[in-house]
Amino acid sequence: MNESEGTCEYVFDPDKPQTWGGEDGDECHIDEDILNEDGVWSCPHDQAEDAELCVFHLPLGEKPRDLDLSEELVGQVNSVTAPDTEEESGEAHKGLNEKVAQRDEAGRFPARQFIGARFSELSLSEEQLGDGPDADIYLSHIQVDGDVSLTEGTIKAHVRLQGARVDGSISVSEATFEKEAYFDGLIASGIYGKESRFERHALFREITCEGALNFTGAVFEHTTLFSGAEIGGITRFTRAKFEAGVGFGRTVFQNQAIFSKAVFETEAPPLPSRASSRARQYGYAGGMYLGRVAVSFNETICNDRITFEQARITGVAIFLAAVFRRQERSRPITFEEAVFEERVIFGRDETSALDESDRPARFESHAGFTDTVFESDSWFEGAVFEHGATFTDASFGDEAVFSDATAKYFDMDQTRVDGSLRFDNATIREALSLEHSTVREEINLNAAAVSEGVQLQEGTFADFLAEDAELSNSDFEHADLTEAALQNTVLQDSNLESTFLSRAMLFGADLRGSKLFGAVLGDVQIDDNTQFLGRPSTAIDSSPHTVSAIRSQPVCIYDPSYGDDSDAVDIDKAKSVYRALEELAGRAARPRLQSQCFVRRQDLQKREYWSDATQSADTVEERVIAGARWSRAKVARATLLYGESPWRVIAGSTSFIVFIALLYPLGEWLQPVGDRPITYARIAEQPELFLESLYFSTLTFTTLGMGDYIPLGFGQVLATANTAFGAVLIALLVFVLGRRAAR
């Protein structure tokens, strides 16, 4: 090349894509400080023989066939160093033209600049490229028809492959980059970096990889960015180690992305000044540089499965606005057995300075977090799990926030949360399962809507908050909900058997159709709007002062009268629940509920008497006694409502008085003093005479007696019965009124 007649005439103009193989609208990836005062770059290399361009910029068909361009490039790169003296400089640069050998204004060696060059293939394997603190190899916007290989070598210079177009694949497997590596805007059919090592910053922003991207076992010692990348094939970072921050912001994974057993550790060091502007533009959080970020996937799109099985992330992990799309239901998004040592953010994070406009992550396939460890707080606020999420056996070392999240279901069985667990305002189309889970601080379900309820069997919760929540069909069996706040919460058809509800707040709560057998209801706070009895499908007037409310007889789910479709019928459980509610209503000054529960309990007892009298009893004696008890209970219900209705006593007394008054005229059994006996014949002529019979019956019933009427014959028997029944019914009325007043 030193025998040529001049310098290559190739000029790279960022504003003219045709000079670098681009098209109008393509982005140019070139450092502006390498351009001259006219804003262009001129090739410094010698012209090829009988050509106006150097061998690197000649079209492929015009390149010398006997020339190995890879070897020529290595020779050019390694022919210049950073000498300490002018003598060393002259010796080292012997054989190069003056323009190539000297440094440019920025202190770089033009000999190492191959911007816009054309190669059929490029192989730099098993070579040591470049040396010195200012060593740069510029391969920006080169075009390679075949493959590029930098494998197994040690690259001591800053490698710049920004905007390169490689029709084949580029491989850096087992290569060691001792200085920064810039691959921004690279286009290749595949990128392979298995077991490679990047000792300084590695920037792969806005790359386009049409096939696979494989960095299995690679080590990234400093900040690494894949922001804005688009990867068409399978992405593999299995066992990769990121010793500083890594960003995948705005990256699109068209196929699987596998990060199994990857390690993301330590905080991110400052980015180099040349990379800062782009790193901040395409880096961690939508233009914001964050320290202590181990991994950022904000605004990432994965069109297939993404896997983080057994990955370890020691810094903050950000997945804001990430979209994990569903391809096959059987291929979930997996974070199983991963360890997050710092904060993990899949949704809005109240504790950081992230922009409020940052959207939460969206999982369009099932998300698996089985055995995942979150050592710090975890933010899933507003995140969307279209096909549910599994957190079985997961461990949260601090607060876990799922507020405003939307999911098909959450399976969090045997999960441990050392802080609080928040699902306030969350919408869950199926169930939220927390069986055998432990939440050391509060669990917040305020205003949450869970269509198929919450499963909390044998769970342990310090504070359970679920105000204004929709939690029908929940299962809280054996759960400890002591001091739970359940104001205005809908718990219809839920299982609360053996649940600890001591000191729980149930103002306005709806527990109709719920199983309450064995529930501990000590000091539970209820009001007139708290509902325990009746079917959820039955509209209950909120006012007790209506005919429908007076005539209604709501029952619990164990009661045989609840409905034919109930599979929980159990008279003993029903009586136990009525007894517990009766005591609770008495303490809470709810006389109507107390009365309803007492009456239903007595009705069930009467039902058992009838069953014994007609079916269950073995002997005649037992049947007779059971029948007598049933008869007594029947009368007690009809006349007194088991002592709960003074109006029935009054109505019965009035009916008895009228009945006796109607009997006296039948046989001339009542005679006014100084007059003829009263008969229906005389009443037909003088209707007011019936009032005299009614008057006498009333006086006799009340045992008052005025002596102005004489009972005759059988009338004396009627008067005696009238007096006796009157004394009894008046005593019962006093008893019932006293019982009601005591409540």
Side-chain angles (χ1 to χ4, degrees), residues 46 175 248 362 404 422 424 458 470 513 607 646 648 718:
D46 291 331
F248 288 87
R362 185 181 190 89
D404 296 295
R422 290 174 49 188
D424 46 306
E458 301 186 27
E470 168 57 64
R607 184 188 183 101
R648 291 203 179 196
L718 294 177

Side-chain angles (χ1 to χ4, degrees), residues 641-661:
L641 196 60
Y642 308 115
E644 292 297 314
S645 176
W647 298 108
R648 291 203 179 196
V649 179
I650 294 173
S653 299
T654 301
S655 299
F656 185 76
I657 290 171
V658 173
F659 174 70
I660 297 298

Side-chain angles (χ1 to χ4, degrees), residues 272-289:
S273 58
R274 297 175 185 173
S276 293
S277 61
R278 284 192 176 276
R280 297 169 198 275
Q281 181 180 1
Y282 298 106
Y284 297 113
M288 187 181 302
Y289 179 81

Side-chain angles (χ1 to χ4, degrees), residues 381-653:
E381 184 173 354
V384 177
F385 301 85
E386 292 189 0
H387 290 272
T390 300
F391 288 83
T392 304
D393 292 306
S395 175
F396 295 84
D398 204 335
E399 187 174 22
V401 181
F402 293 85
S403 306
D404 296 295
T406 301
K408 182 179 181 180
Y409 66 87
F410 279 107
D411 184 351
M412 306 186 76
D413 293 347
Q414 304 182 69
T415 296
R416 179 188 176 92
V417 184
D418 290 338
S420 58
L421 178 61
R422 290 174 49 188
F423 282 94
D424 46 306
N425 297 298
T427 301
I428 304 172
R429 299 193 303 277
E430 292 183 3
L432 166 61
S433 182
L434 286 159
E435 297 182 18
H436 305 282
S437 295
T438 300
V439 180
R440 294 298 183 188
E441 296 183 12
E442 71 176 27
I443 176 171
N444 189 332
L445 283 161
N446 291 341
V450 187
S451 298
E452 296 186 10
V454 180
Q455 316 300 316
L456 298 180
Q457 296 96 314
E458 301 186 27
T460 302
F461 313 100
D463 292 296
F464 188 85
L465 309 179
E467 300 180 12
D468 302 301
E470 168 57 64
L471 304 180
S472 296
N473 303 293
S474 296
D475 192 340
F476 299 93
E477 187 172 2
H478 295 289
D480 187 350
L481 300 184
T482 301
E483 297 184 347
L486 299 168
Q487 294 97 313
N488 303 313
T489 300
V490 178
L491 290 165
Q492 297 174 357
D493 295 318
S494 295
N495 183 5
L496 291 159
E497 291 190 349
S498 302
T499 302
F500 289 89
L501 286 167
S502 298
R503 300 187 299 280
M505 175 65 73
L506 294 177
F507 286 173
D510 188 350
L511 291 90
R512 289 178 292 167
S514 293
K515 299 177 181 179
L516 291 166
F517 175 71
V520 179
L521 301 174
D523 298 322
V524 170
Q525 301 180 63
I526 63 175
D527 61 5
D528 289 339
N529 294 321
T530 305
Q531 301 179 64
F532 292 98
L533 305 178
R535 297 172 62 86
S537 59
T538 303
I540 295 182
D541 196 316
S542 59
S543 172
H545 312 300
T546 61
V547 174
S548 60
I550 293 173
R551 297 182 60 186
S552 65
Q553 293 184 341
V555 296
C556 72
I557 193 172
Y558 303 110
D559 198 309
S561 300
Y562 182 81
D564 296 335
D565 58 342
S566 174
D567 59 355
V569 172
D570 189 312
I571 291 180
D572 289 335
K573 287 185 177 181
K575 290 194 295 184
S576 176
V577 169
Y578 287 136
R579 181 64 179 174
L581 293 179
E582 186 181 346
E583 294 176 355
L584 174 62
R587 293 192 299 269
R590 290 282 308 278
R592 178 171 173 78
L593 176 61
Q594 186 178 10
S595 177
Q596 287 175 331
C597 292
F598 175 77
V599 170
R600 288 307 304 164
R601 185 160 58 87
Q602 296 302 316
D603 281 344
L604 292 177
Q605 186 62 60
K606 177 169 68 70
R607 184 188 183 101
E608 289 189 323
Y609 289 151
W610 178 255
S611 178
D612 290 340
T614 59
Q615 300 175 11
S616 302
D618 295 330
T619 66
V620 174
E621 180 184 8
E622 291 175 337
R623 289 175 180 267
V624 170
I625 293 175
R629 289 175 174 173
W630 176 83
S631 300
R632 182 181 61 190
K634 186 73 172 178
V635 172
R637 192 188 201 289
T639 58
L640 306 174
L641 196 60
Y642 308 115
E644 292 297 314
S645 176
W647 298 108
R648 291 203 179 196
V649 179
I650 294 173
S653 299

Side-chain angles (χ1 to χ4, degrees), residues 85-98:
T85 65
E86 291 185 3
E87 291 77 9
E88 292 179 1
S89 176
E91 184 65 25
H93 303 157
K94 185 176 180 180
L96 297 177
N97 67 46
E98 183 179 355

Side-chain angles (χ1 to χ4, degrees), residues 167-180:
D167 291 344
S169 62
I170 179 170
S171 176
V172 294
S173 297
E174 300 185 38
T176 298
F177 292 82
E178 294 187 354
K179 293 186 172 61
E180 282 80 10

Side-chain angles (χ1 to χ4, degrees), residues 649-714:
V649 179
I650 294 173
S653 299
T654 301
S655 299
F656 185 76
I657 290 171
V658 173
F659 174 70
I660 297 298
L662 291 172
L663 293 179
Y664 284 123
L666 286 176
E668 300 181 358
W669 294 324
L670 181 62
Q671 178 181 344
V673 175
D675 198 355
R676 292 176 297 165
I678 298 174
T679 64
Y680 276 109
R682 293 186 63 193
I683 291 174
E685 296 176 356
Q686 296 177 283
E688 64 273 11
L689 289 177
F690 177 73
L691 296 178
E692 294 189 31
S693 178
L694 184 62
Y695 167 71
F696 178 75
S697 179
T698 303
L699 291 179
T700 307
F701 183 88
T702 59
T703 69
L704 184 58
M706 300 300 292
D708 48 354
Y709 291 89
I710 301 173
L712 303 175
F714 186 71

